[in-house]
């Protein structure tokens, strides 16, 4: 007989026992082998219809590096759509210059100058590409640090207090998890602000109270944030302390800083003495251990901010573009100087144009990896995987009720139909009463 423990109702329940049930989710959902078992009251599939973001899903670039034909011919994520018009234009120009020369109108030039200029163009393009690729990989490392910090923060907060099964401890752990998810979600929206133009703290995962609290801590805000009433920008109460004119882009990067403070405050709220029944063995060490992950997260965030707000120096970009376009589109005049075979010449010009301009477009794609382009990071998708890891962590200690309660807080108030249909989706399908309490589990015999 499998030992199945009763779960306690709250904003999140807890499997009985000091450290929660060690039985697997499959066993708790009625898939154990023989004996009496219980059917879980909530249907997690109901959450699949609850959108957590209106952001368009990124179709990632995938390829089989062993299939050479597929790699060469794949269009998704390729620079071919951008470069092909330039290649065809240069081929047409080559044909025109060639036939003009054959007709006695020679407008070609000696190729000596192009040989030396080609070295400069190659250096500028390769140097810019190397710099942007380095920045691209650095941004990916900072993203990984953000994700890891959130996972570790919640796990340490849960593990260090898992011996406390009081209602206050469960709610504190859920609040820590929620604040962590909120910090990560708004950070992802902040990084995409330049591409999407969407206000980072207007995400569906943030409650109306949190949005109001956020706007009160910013120098400027968007009128009607959250319900999209009105428009324009307005100064907030703290705006009078600004040292200069602040844009919405400045405030977008201020939002994670404010949420990091809220998370640190939530971590330290247990010092009031009426939240946790257990006593820390080494309060300073344990609190610092949890708070350190907020610091690690903010270190990674400021690294991302540095990369986002510090583009490649404009003089280098300008020189590279100027030399590249001049060299590529005067190439037909140099190659036609003594050319004999037109077909061979056209193929040469076509692929040289593809090579140089293609490398330039690769550099441009790497400049801003946060958005919805095929080569951009699926930062929100990876963040949502972290959200799921946090649900699982909370589920292992406080049970399914607590994880469901956290998931509901994150789900957002996205309209999915009529008010009645939303009511059934939010409460009926989840096995919840309107008050938020859980129905007792139903026993069935296997």
């Amino acid at each position: 007989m499998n030992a199945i423990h009763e779960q306690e109702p709250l904003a999140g329940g807890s499997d009985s026992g000091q450290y929660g049930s060690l039985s697997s989710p499959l066993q708790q959902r009625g898939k154990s082998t023989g004996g009496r078992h219980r059917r879980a009251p909530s249907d997690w599939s109901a959450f699949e219809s609850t959108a957590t973001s209106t952001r368009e899903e990124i179709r990632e670039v995938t390829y089989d590096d062993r299939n050479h034909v597929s790699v060469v011919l794949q269009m998704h994520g390729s620079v071919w759509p951008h470069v092909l018009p330039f290649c065809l234009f240069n081929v047409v120009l080559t044909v025109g210059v060639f036939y003009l020369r054959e007709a006695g109108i020679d407008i070609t030039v000696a190729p000596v100058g192009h040989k030396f200029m080609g070295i400069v163009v190659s250096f500028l393009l390769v140097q810019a590409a190397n710099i942007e690729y380095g920045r691209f990989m650095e941004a990916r490392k900072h993203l990984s640090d953000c994700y890891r910090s959130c996972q570790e923060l919640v796990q340490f907060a849960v593990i260090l207090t898992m011996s406390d099964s009081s209602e206050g401890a469960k709610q504190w752990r859920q609040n820590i998890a929620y604040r962590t998810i909120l910090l990560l979600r708004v950070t992802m929206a902040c990084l995409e602000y330049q591409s999407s133009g969407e206000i980072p703290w207007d995400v569906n995962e943030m409650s109306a109270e949190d949005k109001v609290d956020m706007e009160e801590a910013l120098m400027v805000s968007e009128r009607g944030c959250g319900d999209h009433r009105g428009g324009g920008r307005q100064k907030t109460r703290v705006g009078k302390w600004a040292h200069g004119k602040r844009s919405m882009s400045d405030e977008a990067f201020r939002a994670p800083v404010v949420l990091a403070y809220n998370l640190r405050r939530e971590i330290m709220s247990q010092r009031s003495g009426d939240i946790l029944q257990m006593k820390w063995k080494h309060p300073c060490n344990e609190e610092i251990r949890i708070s350190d992950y907020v610091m690690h997260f903010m270190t990674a965030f400021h690294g991302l901010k540095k990369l986002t707000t510090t583009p490649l120096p404009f003089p280098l970009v300008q020189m590279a573009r100027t030399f590249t376009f001049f060299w590529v589109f005067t190439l037909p005049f140099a190659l036609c100087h003594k050319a004999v075979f037109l077909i061979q010449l056209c193929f040469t010009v076509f692929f040289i144009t593809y090579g140089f301009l293609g490398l330039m477009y690769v550099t441009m794609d790497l400049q801003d990896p946060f958005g919805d382009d095929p080569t951009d990071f699926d930062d929100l998708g990876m963040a949502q995987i972290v959200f799921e890891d946090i649900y699982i962590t909370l589920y292992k200690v406080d049970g399914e009720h607590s994880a469901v309660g956290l998931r509901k807080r994150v789900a957002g108030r996205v309209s999915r139909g009529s008010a009645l249909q939303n009511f059934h989706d939010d409460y009926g399908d989840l096995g919840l009463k309107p008050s938020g309490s859980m129905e007792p589990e139903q026993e069935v015999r296997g």
Side-chain angles (χ1 to χ4, degrees):
M1 178 181 296
N2 295 324
I4 302 299
H5 304 286
E6 195 76 40
Q7 294 183 338
E8 303 171 9
L10 175 68
S14 172
D15 295 336
S16 67
Q18 189 173 358
Y19 302 104
S21 172
L22 298 180
S23 57
S24 69
L26 290 180
Q27 290 174 326
Q28 294 186 3
R29 295 181 71 87
K31 296 185 179 180
S32 59
T33 57
R36 294 180 63 182
H37 54 272
R38 304 184 188 276
R39 180 179 298 134
S42 60
D43 183 7
W44 283 86
S45 64
F47 283 126
E48 295 178 0
S49 64
T50 307
T52 59
S53 174
T54 56
R55 174 177 175 269
E56 184 178 352
E57 185 177 352
I58 294 178
R59 181 188 167 198
E60 296 181 359
V61 178
T62 58
Y63 58 93
D64 181 7
D65 59 351
R66 296 179 179 272
N67 189 337
H68 306 303
V69 175
S70 173
V71 170
V72 171
L73 299 181
Q74 178 171 309
M75 289 293 104
H76 181 64
S78 172
V79 297
W80 272 117
H82 303 290
V83 178
L84 186 59
F86 295 110
C87 296
L88 296 177
F89 172 79
N90 231 14
V91 168
V92 172
L93 181 61
T94 301
V95 172
V97 172
F98 183 86
Y99 278 113
L100 283 176
R101 192 200 67 180
E102 293 296 308
I105 306 175
D106 191 357
I107 57 176
T108 62
V109 295
V112 178
H114 264 71
K115 291 180 181 179
F116 290 103
M117 187 178 290
I119 298 175
V120 178
V121 173
S122 300
F123 170 78
L124 290 173
L125 283 179
V126 172
Q127 184 73 3
N130 284 335
I131 293 174
E132 289 297 345
Y133 182 72
R135 289 162 53 91
F136 183 85
M137 296 307 296
E138 184 181 356
R140 184 62 183 87
K141 178 183 179 300
H142 288 318
L143 274 179
S144 296
D145 290 342
C146 288
Y147 302 143
R148 178 181 57 83
S149 297
C150 291
Q151 291 169 326
E152 295 294 316
L153 188 155
V154 175
Q155 287 197 6
F156 267 90
V158 168
I159 291 298
L160 290 175
T161 61
M162 65 190 303
S163 60
D164 190 343
S165 58
S166 65
E167 301 300 310
K170 294 174 187 176
Q171 191 62 56
W172 181 76
R173 287 190 284 263
Q174 189 184 97
N175 290 342
I176 293 292
Y178 174 70
R179 292 291 174 190
T180 302
I181 289 175
L182 209 57
L183 174 61
L184 182 58
R185 177 63 184 93
V186 171
T187 299
M188 298 301 102
C190 165
L191 295 173
E192 296 182 356
Y193 177 74
Q194 299 295 338
S195 300
S196 66
E198 297 179 359
I199 303 173
W201 57 90
D202 199 20
V203 294
N204 297 321
E205 292 82 354
M206 183 177 286
S207 66
E209 294 79 4
D210 286 320
K211 291 179 182 180
V212 172
D213 178 72
M214 173 64 68
E215 289 208 332
E216 289 179 350
L218 300 175
M219 296 295 172
V220 295
S221 67
E222 198 84 8
R223 283 200 297 269
C225 177
D227 53 9
H228 305 289
R229 294 190 303 268
R233 300 169 187 170
Q234 62 181 3
K235 284 188 177 181
T236 61
R237 182 176 300 176
V238 300
K240 58 187 177 183
W241 302 331
H243 287 267
K245 187 176 181 181
R246 295 291 169 256
S247 65
M248 288 303 296
S249 180
D250 298 327
E251 299 308 296
F253 283 103
R254 198 190 307 276
V257 178
V258 175
L259 291 177
Y261 164 79
N262 292 343
L263 176 56
R264 287 183 169 116
R265 183 181 61 186
E266 192 67 49
I267 293 172
M268 301 305 295
S269 65
Q270 45 78 30
R271 280 199 172 187
S272 63
D274 56 357
I275 295 178
L276 300 179
Q277 292 184 356
M278 60 166 283
K279 299 295 183 183
W280 299 102
K281 292 185 178 180
H282 305 284
C284 292
N285 292 341
E286 292 160 332
E287 290 169 350
I288 290 175
R289 183 63 171 172
I290 299 174
S291 299
D292 272 350
Y293 286 109
V294 185
M295 182 189 69
H296 295 160
F297 182 95
M298 294 308 295
T299 300
F301 165 71
H302 284 291
L304 291 168
K305 180 180 178 181
K306 177 198 71 175
L307 296 174
T308 304
T309 59
T310 310
L312 204 63
F314 174 72
L316 180 60
V317 176
Q318 186 183 48
M319 287 187 63
R321 299 277 177 88
T322 303
F323 272 95
T324 301
F325 280 112
F326 179 81
W327 186 84
V328 166
F329 292 114
T330 56
L331 187 63
F333 298 92
L335 295 183
C336 286
H337 187 63
K338 293 183 179 180
V340 177
F341 301 104
L342 179 60
I343 300 298
Q344 177 185 2
L345 183 62
C346 288
F347 273 100
T348 302
V349 170
F350 182 91
F351 284 105
I352 289 178
T353 304
Y354 168 73
F356 280 84
L357 294 187
L359 188 58
M360 185 185 72
Y361 271 95
V362 168
T363 304
M364 293 167 60
D365 286 342
L366 295 178
Q367 283 179 357
D368 182 15
F370 304 106
D372 53 5
D373 294 333
T375 54
D376 288 344
F377 299 134
D378 187 11
D379 45 16
L380 180 56
M382 292 185 288
Q384 288 172 341
I385 294 177
V386 176
F387 299 169
E388 295 162 359
D389 294 338
I390 291 175
Y391 303 150
I392 294 172
T393 300
L394 206 61
Y395 163 70
K396 281 184 168 293
V397 172
D398 290 336
E400 185 175 351
H401 290 190
S402 184
V404 169
L406 175 62
R407 182 61 179 86
K408 274 189 59 64
R409 293 176 69 178
V410 176
R413 300 296 87 206
V414 182
S415 178
R416 304 182 298 280
S418 66
L420 181 60
Q421 182 62 43
N422 290 343
F423 177 86
H424 288 299
D425 289 343
D426 289 342
Y427 296 109
D429 292 344
L430 295 176
L432 296 174
K433 294 179 181 179
S435 61
S437 60
M438 294 286 186
E439 293 284 357
E441 292 181 319
Q442 299 175 353
E443 291 190 5
V444 296
R445 285 191 179 274

